[in-house]
């Protein structure tokens, strides 16, 4: 069985996405192992999600092509270049996979990923994603409101923050063998941010399960915050009293605050945040406060100095 990587790459470039997917499924049916082993980054082992309901929270802006969403990534566990995760994450084993929901809760629970996929109705949420580096995309995520899961575990009165932890497995994650970041990758939200209906756990994109480079099998998406808040490949969700440390906050506290709300008025110490480049567009556009989600989330920060709490 010989399928040349170049041929499939070419097909992906010139074929409308739907046809490309069908052809890829056909190829995969014929040689599941061969295709996923030979074509890293292109024929990643995703499967179609069914029973997806649409969401009133979606933007109608033009979606970023699947190819850009899945080949232009930040996932430092698999390398620091944008193309590294698509190349290096294909071997990540996402089954079996459990997510421990623990800490200040009445009903801690270790979720099996397949049980989690069945437990909550999966919605499509087309969200803008703004990276702190100055680019943005529009991504159709499949996922469910994190609040649904939080209600099940019943946080106690001392739960004020939620900490999210990515898998720590240097054998599978080559980036963890160097110290670009303090592993494992962690992120955090205030409990009310975590409960906000816009905050989702994503299990897929473009109707398929998540490609590994996008954080399979489950990742956080918080659309009004810079992209680094959305921890990938989550193994633990912990409810705590104190504000948790975050991976980027530990690496550079003066550059990456806990809140990390998209805010064109607060520059990153080394560059302006006033504008952004939508991937695929030539001219930069103005960055919107809270990434355009202000109407829904501004009330969470009433009375806070967002220059101090950046
Ligand atoms: N574990 C982990 N999660 C991570 C990152 C990372 O390096 N490691 N990068 C973050 C950054 S900076 C961004 S912009 C988004 C990118 O998500 P995407 O590749 O799906 O677009 O993932 C975030 N989640
Ligand atoms: Mo980012």
């Amino acid at each position: 069985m010989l399928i040349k990587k170049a041929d499939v790459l070419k097909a992906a470039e010139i074929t409308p996405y739907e046809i490309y997917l069908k052809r890829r499924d056909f190829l995969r049916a014929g040689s599941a192992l061969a295709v996923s082993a030979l074509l890293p980054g292109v024929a990643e082992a995703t499967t179609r999600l069914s029973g997806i309901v649409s969401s009133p929270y979606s933007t109608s802006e033009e979606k970023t092509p699947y190819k850009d969403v899945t080949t232009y990534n930040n996932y430092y566990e698999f390398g620091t270049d944008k193309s590294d995760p698509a190349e290096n994450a294909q071997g990540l084993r996402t089954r079996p996979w459990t997510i421990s929901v623990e800490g200040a809760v009445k009903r801690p629970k270790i979720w099996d990923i397949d049980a989690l996929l069945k437990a909550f109705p999966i919605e499509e949420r087309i969200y803008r994603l703004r990276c702190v580096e100055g680019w943005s995309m529009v991504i159709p995520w499949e996922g469910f409101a994190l609040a649904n899961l939080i209600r099940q575990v019943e946080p106690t009165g001392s739960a004020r923050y939620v900490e999210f932890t990515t898998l720590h497995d240097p054998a599978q994650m080559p980036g963890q063998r160097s110290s670009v970041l303090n592993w494992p990758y962690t992120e955090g939200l205030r409990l009310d941010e975590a409960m906000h209906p816009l905050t989702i756990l994503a299990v897929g994109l473009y109707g398929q399960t998540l490609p590994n480079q996008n954080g399979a099998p489950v990742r956080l998406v918080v659309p009004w915050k810079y992209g680094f808040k959305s921890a990938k490949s989550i193994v633990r969700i912990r409810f705590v009293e104190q504000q948790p440390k975050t991976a980027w906050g530990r690496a550079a506290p003066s550059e990456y605050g806990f809140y990390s709300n998209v805010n064109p008025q607060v520059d990153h110490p080394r560059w302006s945040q006033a504008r952004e480049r939508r991937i695929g567009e030539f001219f930069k556009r103005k960055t919107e406060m809270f990434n355009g989600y202000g109407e829904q989330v501004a009330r969470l920060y009433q009375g806070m100095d967002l220059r101090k709490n950046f």
Side-chain angles (χ1 to χ4, degrees), residues 42-100:
V42 180
E44 63 284 336
T46 62
T47 55
R48 184 154 283 281
L49 289 160
S50 56
I52 298 166
V53 291
S54 64
S55 158
Y57 294 111
S58 288
T59 171
S60 55
E61 283 165 272
E62 197 185 330
K63 291 179 243 177
T64 303
Y66 180 82
K67 199 170 177 235
D68 293 323
V69 174
T70 58
T71 56
Y72 190 87
N73 300 104
N74 276 333
Y75 197 172
Y76 277 23
E77 284 84 339
F78 293 103
T80 54
D81 284 353
K82 293 285 176 286
S83 58
D84 285 343
E87 281 172 25
N88 301 332
Q90 298 316 311
L92 176 68
R93 291 185 303 274
T94 57
R95 294 293 186 288
W97 190 281
T98 56
I99 304 114
S100 173

Side-chain angles (χ1 to χ4, degrees), residues 146-302:
L146 175 62
N148 291 346
L149 182 137
I150 294 180
R151 280 189 207 101
Q152 270 208 355
V153 293
E154 297 180 39
T156 67
S158 58
R160 295 186 55 224
Y161 295 92
V162 191
E163 178 196 64
F164 303 84
T165 305
T166 296
L167 177 70
H168 188 213
D169 186 354
Q172 291 201 78
M173 297 175 141
Q176 290 181 339
R177 291 172 229 153
S178 81
S179 50
V180 252
L181 285 173
N182 239 303
W183 311 110
Y185 193 99
T186 57
E187 258 306 337
L189 294 172
R190 220 169 51 192
L191 185 59
D192 59 342
E193 297 177 321
M195 292 289 294
H196 192 281
L198 283 176
T199 302
I200 59 168
L201 285 179
V203 296
L205 58 82
Y206 267 105
Q208 306 271 122
T209 54
L210 282 176
N212 289 348
Q213 60 269 35
N214 295 92
V218 58
R219 58 88 65 80
L220 183 65
V221 178
V222 195
W224 70 94
K225 293 179 182 275
Y226 292 116
F228 64 86
K229 275 285 177 190
S230 55
K232 294 178 170 177
S233 307
I234 293 171
V235 293
R236 190 172 69 196
I237 298 175
R238 182 159 53 163
F239 293 76
V240 293
E241 187 159 9
Q242 305 293 328
Q243 190 177 98
K245 291 254 184 272
T246 68
W248 283 104
R250 275 176 284 154
S254 62
E255 301 188 9
Y256 307 103
F258 179 80
Y259 284 93
S260 310
N261 288 322
V262 175
N263 189 342
Q265 290 146 34
V266 177
D267 291 343
H268 182 280
R270 291 183 282 133
W271 59 82
S272 163
Q273 292 291 23
R275 301 172 77 73
E276 70 199 56
R277 187 184 310 285
R278 182 71 45 92
I279 296 298
E281 290 179 0
F282 182 75
F283 293 106
K284 287 192 176 178
R285 52 170 79 207
K286 273 190 177 159
T287 286
E288 289 183 73
M289 187 64 197
F290 298 118
N291 204 22
Y293 298 96
E295 214 174 291
Q296 293 101 308
V297 303
R299 60 171 177 84
L300 296 175
Y301 310 102
Q302 256 165 31

Side-chain angles (χ1 to χ4, degrees), residues 18-139:
E18 308 299 332
I19 298 173
Y20 159 60
L21 270 186
K22 276 195 196 114
R23 184 177 301 163
R24 202 187 55 173
D25 286 344
F26 172 73
L27 287 174
R28 197 189 298 132
S31 61
L33 274 173
V35 172
S36 56
L38 289 174
L39 306 168
V42 180
E44 63 284 336
T46 62
T47 55
R48 184 154 283 281
L49 289 160
S50 56
I52 298 166
V53 291
S54 64
S55 158
Y57 294 111
S58 288
T59 171
S60 55
E61 283 165 272
E62 197 185 330
K63 291 179 243 177
T64 303
Y66 180 82
K67 199 170 177 235
D68 293 323
V69 174
T70 58
T71 56
Y72 190 87
N73 300 104
N74 276 333
Y75 197 172
Y76 277 23
E77 284 84 339
F78 293 103
T80 54
D81 284 353
K82 293 285 176 286
S83 58
D84 285 343
E87 281 172 25
N88 301 332
Q90 298 316 311
L92 176 68
R93 291 185 303 274
T94 57
R95 294 293 186 288
W97 190 281
T98 56
I99 304 114
S100 173
V101 188
E102 58 181 57
V105 294
K106 290 192 190 109
R107 300 166 170 276
K109 177 163 178 161
I110 296 175
W111 275 98
D112 176 77
I113 184 65
D114 292 309
L116 188 69
L117 279 162
K118 286 186 203 119
F120 304 101
I122 295 177
E123 293 177 12
E124 178 158 275
R125 303 276 189 103
I126 307 170
Y127 279 166
R128 292 178 286 274
L129 177 142
R130 169 60 155 84
C131 178
V132 75
E133 295 165 341
W135 50 267
S136 63
M137 297 195 197
V138 175
I139 303 177

